[in-house]
Amino acid sequence: MTERQPTAMNSHHTSLAWNAGWATAVQRPSVGFHKNWAEEGFADQTVRQTVRVTGAGTRARIKLSNRYGTAPLEVSGASLARAGTGAAVAAGSVRPLTFDGAASVRIPAGGEVYSDPAEVTVAALESLTVSLYFAGPTGPATFHAQAWATAYRAAGAQLGEVDPAVFGETSVSWYHLAAVELADGGPARRDTVVLFGDSITDGFGSTVDADRRYSDALAERLAAGGRPLRVLNLGIGGNLLLNDSPWFGESAGARFDREVLAQPGVRSVVVLVGLNDIGFSEVDLPTYKPNPDNSAEQLIAGYRDLIDRGHAAGVRVVGGTILPFKGSEYHTPVAEAKRRAVNEWIRTAGAFDAVADFAAALADPADPDALRSAYDSGDFKHPDDAGYRVMAEAVDPAAL
């Protein structure tokens, strides 16, 4: 197998103009929040993962990531299909994927690679299923910890398997799959909106396999309103604006260029991050380290940096206010004072191109420092499905 360079393009397919379909933010292998397969990796196993795309196309390609691998990753085979229910795929829809014409690919440590285009007709808000076979052993897997979607694992090579029964093991993370891009024979379009931040963007507390994150609700709202922009979710649970974390990804500042500005056709980004920078320093937990006591001024400087970089790339930057979290382990008078100061700056400084006032939309009218109970997933800081819908309604489509 030929070793591919990171993010190498397939030169003989450059005539296709690629648009965003789906993407996620990848992380170092870790224990994460639930049982996952990241640290053990894969050996003679097929992983099947389903994602919902927010654009339409007649061709698709996938991006696989070995960003946090310490050795080359051997992907022994891959396929793409229209999704069925659970681990099932639509009959007759399975397409083998190739990489520069080969059925397998070797991705260098730290690298990423695109597949060749596959013919598949998919409409916006439909789902595609990617199956990856690793003859293995792979070593620890670059992954996204909290998918709020089920991944399935089977023994052996099952790329074309239609019977879901062979996929007997499940997880709620994504592995090595970083993006699905779509082409329809038309031009590349500047119609991508990136939602960027922490677990509240990621969808923590939403119903698994129901596509009820705020990114899903926003994509549906825009489509219903006749403005069908492509909405990508680049949230990471536990992510910090100012610090890298072994558990919760590189800082928002460190990943902004590659995960926001490098997306195909990006026109705007909604930034919602800072909650963990405020809250981690109030709690003594190993997974919450590093947790420096950052001031509101330090957070504001971090936002200004993202705004400047977005504007330099011609991207509109929308600021999201930090949700109330009274009742959670994060909440202290010091933390609340920081949240209020940061939100006041977001609302009034005029630094962002627009403001999505999530805090005002989800606050309890009787106690604005707390989430309204109807929108609380149960931990006093993450919304439920209804709360995520309200968040989507708090974003002005004209600001995107």
Side-chain angles (χ1 to χ4, degrees), residues 108-124:
E112 296 182 325
V113 70
Y114 286 101
S115 72
D116 299 327
E119 292 191 22
V120 59
T121 299
V122 62

Side-chain angles (χ1 to χ4, degrees), residues 9-18 59 61 117 183-188:
M9 303 292 287
N10 301 323
S11 58
H12 53 290
H13 291 299
T14 51
S15 58
L16 282 175
W18 291 101
R59 300 277 195 288
R61 69 178 183 179
D184 58 9

Side-chain angles (χ1 to χ4, degrees), residues 4-346:
R4 301 293 306 282
Q5 292 307 305
T7 61
M9 303 292 287
N10 301 323
S11 58
H12 53 290
H13 291 299
T14 51
S15 58
L16 282 175
W18 291 101
N19 294 293
W22 169 89
T24 195
V26 294
Q27 302 169 242
R28 298 182 184 287
S30 74
V31 173
F33 298 86
H34 328 88
K35 175 184 174 292
N36 69 65
W37 307 318
E39 292 189 328
E40 66 189 80
F42 307 101
D44 190 26
Q45 290 166 322
T46 301
V47 182
R48 183 165 280 183
Q49 308 176 77
T50 295
V51 300
R52 185 163 83 153
V53 298
T54 63
T58 54
R59 300 277 195 288
R61 69 178 183 179
I62 65 171
K63 182 167 78 169
L64 298 179
S65 179
N66 190 29
R67 175 171 290 280
Y68 299 108
T70 55
L73 173 70
E74 306 278 356
V75 182
S76 309
S79 68
L80 182 72
R82 291 170 58 82
T85 301
V89 293
S93 73
V94 178
R95 303 283 182 266
L97 292 173
T98 58
F99 303 85
D100 266 349
S104 58
V105 67
R106 186 173 194 254
I107 308 174
E112 296 182 325
V113 70
Y114 286 101
S115 72
D116 299 327
E119 292 191 22
V120 59
T121 299
V122 62
L125 306 180
E126 289 185 338
S127 293
L128 294 173
T129 295
V130 175
S131 300
L132 303 174
Y133 173 54
F134 303 98
T138 62
T142 294
F143 84 133
H144 180 86
Q146 294 186 289
W148 305 102
T150 303
Y152 301 87
R153 185 166 73 174
Q158 310 286 355
L159 294 175
E161 182 54 64
V162 176
D163 178 9
V166 303
F167 289 91
E169 294 180 274
T170 63
S171 156
V172 286
S173 301
W174 284 308
Y175 304 90
H176 293 299
L177 183 63
V180 176
E181 295 181 2
L182 303 172
D184 58 9
R189 286 178 289 276
R190 198 156 172 265
D191 61 355
T192 300
V193 178
V194 178
L195 306 186
F196 184 67
D198 53 32
S199 55
I200 295 172
T201 296
D202 208 10
F204 187 103
S206 65
T207 301
V208 173
D209 293 328
D211 295 316
R212 299 221 174 125
R213 312 161 192 88
Y214 110 82
S215 52
D216 296 299
L218 181 60
E220 291 163 6
R221 179 181 175 219
L222 292 169
R227 195 151 190 265
L229 298 173
R230 297 163 190 267
V231 179
L232 300 182
N233 186 325
L234 275 297
I236 295 181
N239 201 223
L240 298 158
L241 175 59
L242 302 176
N243 288 95
D244 296 343
S245 163
W247 293 275
F248 309 128
E250 293 177 45
S251 72
R255 61 193 188 92
F256 186 74
D257 288 15
R258 71 168 184 268
E259 294 189 348
V260 177
L261 302 183
Q263 295 295 344
V266 62
R267 60 182 288 135
S268 58
V269 56
V270 182
V271 174
L272 176 60
V273 68
L275 171 67
N276 298 313
D277 299 74
I278 291 171
F280 279 8
S281 59
E282 305 301 312
V283 185
D284 185 20
L285 274 179
T287 52
Y288 286 5
K289 304 291 182 4
N291 61 348
D293 185 5
N294 292 307
S295 66
E297 290 72 25
Q298 286 171 295
L299 286 167
I300 288 165
Y303 297 126
R304 284 197 184 275
D305 176 57
L306 299 188
I307 294 165
D308 289 346
R309 287 152 66 189
H311 287 171
V315 172
R316 289 177 61 81
V317 186
V318 178
T321 53
I322 298 174
L323 267 59
F325 53 92
K326 185 177 179 180
S328 79
E329 78 278 20
Y330 286 4
H331 200 265
T332 65
V334 169
E336 183 58 51
K338 288 181 190 176
R339 184 184 78 94
R340 290 186 188 184
V342 166
N343 282 354
E344 178 69 12
W345 177 83
I346 291 171

